[in-house]
């Protein structure tokens, strides 16, 4: 293996570990969050971290199908976060 490939593997491992730790910390915030706003923010952060893990998986496997999956999950995560926040603030989603 070349030096560049070794460096890429080390960088991917560090990135996987960092995003996984962030995902665990967000999960802890989701469970023990003192307010509903904190829990909504933790849930949105978990979606962003999941997208990061999917993109890193796509980079490590060298395929582009994971990037399309990441886009779909990003759209669903945004809509679900907005819907949940609106439900908490107003009590309904659709007026």
């Amino acid at each position: 293996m070349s030096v560049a490939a070794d460096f890429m593997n080390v960088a991917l491992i560090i990135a996987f570990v960092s995003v996984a730790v962030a995902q665990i910390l967000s999960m802890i915030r989701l469970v023990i969050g003192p307010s509903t706003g904190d829990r909504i923010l933790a849930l949105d952060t978990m979606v962003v971290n999941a997208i990061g893990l999917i993109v890193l998986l796509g980079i490590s496997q060298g395929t582009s199908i994971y990037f399309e999956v990441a886009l779909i999950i990003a759209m669903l995560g945004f809509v679900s976060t907005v819907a949940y926040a609106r439900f908490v603030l107003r009590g309904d989603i659709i007026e």
Side-chain angles (χ1 to χ4, degrees), residues 29-41:
R29 173 56 73 187
L30 181 69
V31 172
I32 63 169
S35 69
T36 305
D38 291 333
R39 290 188 170 115
I40 292 172
L41 187 61

Side-chain angles (χ1 to χ4, degrees), residues 3-68:
V3 175
D6 289 339
F7 181 73
M8 182 72 172
N9 287 334
V10 171
L12 279 173
I13 290 170
I14 291 171
F16 269 118
V17 169
S18 299
V19 176
V21 168
Q23 185 79 340
I24 291 170
L25 292 174
S26 297
M27 195 177 305
I28 291 171
R29 173 56 73 187
L30 181 69
V31 172
I32 63 169
S35 69
T36 305
D38 291 333
R39 290 188 170 115
I40 292 172
L41 187 61
L43 189 64
D44 191 44
T45 305
M46 286 179 66
V47 169
V48 171
N49 289 333
I51 292 168
L53 285 173
I54 290 170
V55 169
L56 286 173
L57 186 64
I59 291 171
S60 70
Q61 292 187 358
T63 180
S64 64
I65 190 70
Y66 292 107
F67 300 115
E68 296 171 8

